[in-house]
Amino acid sequence: MSVLSSKRVAEAEAAETRGRMQQLARPVVLVRAAVPRAKTAGIAARDGARSAATWTAPRINQARAWTAPRIERGGLAFKDTIAPKVYETLAVAARYVDVAPRPEVTAPRRRWPRVVAGTGMLVAVGAAAAVVLRRRKNDRAYEAPGKPAEEATGPQVAQNSQLDANADGSGADDNATRQSPVT
């Protein structure tokens, strides 16, 4: 192969590689160009919302201040003619609509006493459950190793001991000798 033909092949490969790199770089360039535009749009939206809020807040308060006395006057007119309950309702609505702060603001409630009480109850229930489980475990440890638990405490044993006691008439003496020393 001649030097010129190998040089052309290398140039063609380089051009092809350059084209691939440019295709891969296009989204990156577009994203880099979009970032400042997005920031600008976000800032413009934020500023627009702020300006709208600052423009509307005094106008809303003016409308509320204009409306409140008229509602109250309407309530006074109804007070004498229609009913006192209607007046009371409209007076409450006027106080609710008015811009002035309400004096009956309550202090925030504290929740930590309820949380502490609930936690204490959970701890007490857990401790009681642990005591019950430990007692059950200890009772099983002291049973006779040769006899299964069903033999010593089964319903058939209870019936047999009652029948024997009633038939003999000796009742309490026989039952005392037949019970196991654990119970």
Side-chain angles (χ1 to χ4, degrees), residues 122-136:
L122 284 174
V123 168
V125 168
V131 167
V132 168
L133 290 174
R134 186 170 291 225
R135 283 188 182 171
R136 282 187 186 170

Side-chain angles (χ1 to χ4, degrees), residues 14-74:
E16 184 180 330
T17 305
R18 204 175 316 124
R20 280 192 218 140
M21 294 302 285
Q22 286 176 350
Q23 284 180 349
L24 292 174
R26 277 191 184 128
V28 174
V29 170
L30 292 175
V31 168
R32 285 185 183 164
V35 168
R37 289 180 186 169
K39 285 182 182 178
T40 306
I43 291 170
R46 183 187 65 205
D47 292 342
R50 281 184 186 164
S51 67
T54 57
W55 183 84
T56 57
R59 284 163 180 76
I60 289 173
N61 286 338
Q62 286 174 352
R64 291 174 73 182
W66 180 85
T67 305
R70 284 164 179 73
I71 292 173
E72 193 165 6
R73 265 189 257 134

Side-chain angles (χ1 to χ4, degrees), residues 1 8 12 35 52 54 56 63 74-75 88 99 102 112-113 117 125 137 144 146 150 164 179-180 182:
M1 186 181 282
R8 285 183 191 155
V35 168
T54 57
T56 57
E88 291 173 9
V99 178
R102 296 184 203 136
W112 67 266
V125 168
K137 185 177 179 183
E150 292 177 6
D164 290 342
Q179 288 184 343
S180 65
V182 174

Side-chain angles (χ1 to χ4, degrees), residues 90-103:
L90 289 175
V92 168
R95 281 187 221 109
Y96 183 75
V97 170
D98 196 10
V99 178
R102 296 184 203 136

